Amino acid sequence: MAANTSTSTVDWQTWQESWDRQQEWYMPDREERLRVMLDMVEAVVGTSPRVLDLACGTGTITARLLARFPDATSTGVDLDPALLTIAEGTFAGDERVSFVTADLKDPDWPAELPHDSYDAVLTATALHWLHSEPLADLYGQVARLVRPGGVFMNADHMIDETTPRINAAERARRHVRMDQAKRDGVLDWAEWWKAAAADPVLAEPTARRFEIYGEHADGDMPSAAWQARVLREKGFAEARPVWCSPSDTLLLALK
């Protein structure tokens, strides 16, 4: 890992790749869902979209967006000081990208954004931190940010409680794979954050991050059907899954 005290000399790409490997431990099909997400961006709003990367973390979506669509622009919004430090370091000097520090539970967070509307609002593996009521409120705010004809996509854990035996089988198989990967040396969530806390540049923002979030906090993770219904109620004309795995769904809502 990076061990420099100057942010200008940190190897941000190494941190990005480390984050990707840690996330892929939980989601081996992570890149596939992001590819489908960008396929649908292109299909709905073209190849030079103005994008809001919602709960952007290290800027995973933004990185893949700009690699595929060089004429796109992205606004990343997040509250996590450590992940935003990595994101800002990674994209420093890229005029196509800006970042905003904001709490998505704050009803006024959209006022911090540089634009009133976006062609696409994209998020992945982030909103499961929210419980159903604040998630529904957030969807109403997102609906007001997406332009007519624009798109919102959320790739995340969406649990169908009506299929408990299928859920149990998927969970058991996933943990067998994760246990093997762990034996092969993959860092899990706790170990990755331990490494970040030991880095001279990331130590302070990592400490602030844990003051904000604690160790971890899972929200309600409602089903794709619930989320599609709420998105339509909040102002989207259409909403449905466009990709799924045994555990996760990519939900698309069209304004």
Side-chain angles (χ1 to χ4, degrees), residues 1 64 93 99 103-104 120 123 130 134 136 171 174 176 186 226 252 255:
M1 293 300 176
R64 285 145 184 82
F99 291 100
D103 184 350
L104 297 181
T123 188
L130 297 175
R171 186 165 51 250
R174 174 161 39 92
V176 167
V186 174
W226 180 94
L252 183 154
K255 187 72 174 288

Side-chain angles (χ1 to χ4, degrees), residues 65-101:
L65 173 80
L66 298 180
R68 179 160 168 178
F69 307 127
D71 293 331
T73 59
S74 178
T75 302
V77 59
D78 209 307
L79 186 61
D80 189 311
L83 298 186
L84 278 174
T85 296
I86 295 172
E88 289 167 347
T90 300
F91 296 98
D94 191 332
E95 296 182 353
R96 298 171 297 175
V97 183
S98 60
F99 291 100
V100 172
T101 300

Side-chain angles (χ1 to χ4, degrees), residues 93-188:
D94 191 332
E95 296 182 353
R96 298 171 297 175
V97 183
S98 60
F99 291 100
V100 172
T101 300
D103 184 350
L104 297 181
K105 294 180 181 179
D106 181 346
D108 295 325
W109 71 266
E112 303 297 321
L113 300 175
H115 306 290
D116 294 331
S117 68
Y118 289 84
D119 300 308
V121 177
L122 309 176
T123 188
T125 325
L127 302 189
H128 63 268
W129 284 66
L130 297 175
H131 290 285
S132 297
E133 185 174 345
L135 180 59
D137 291 341
L138 178 64
Y139 281 171
Q141 293 169 316
V142 168
R144 291 188 288 274
L145 287 168
V146 175
R147 66 159 173 84
V151 66
F152 167 67
M153 279 183 274
N154 178 18
D156 210 340
H157 313 308
M158 299 182 191
I159 298 174
D160 188 341
E161 300 292 355
T162 68
T163 59
R165 289 186 296 166
I166 296 173
N167 297 347
E170 180 280 321
R171 186 165 51 250
R173 181 67 189 92
R174 174 161 39 92
H175 280 279
V176 167
R177 176 190 56 76
M178 291 170 69
D179 289 346
Q180 181 58 55
K182 193 72 160 46
R183 289 192 291 270
D184 292 340
V186 174
L187 294 182
D188 65 17

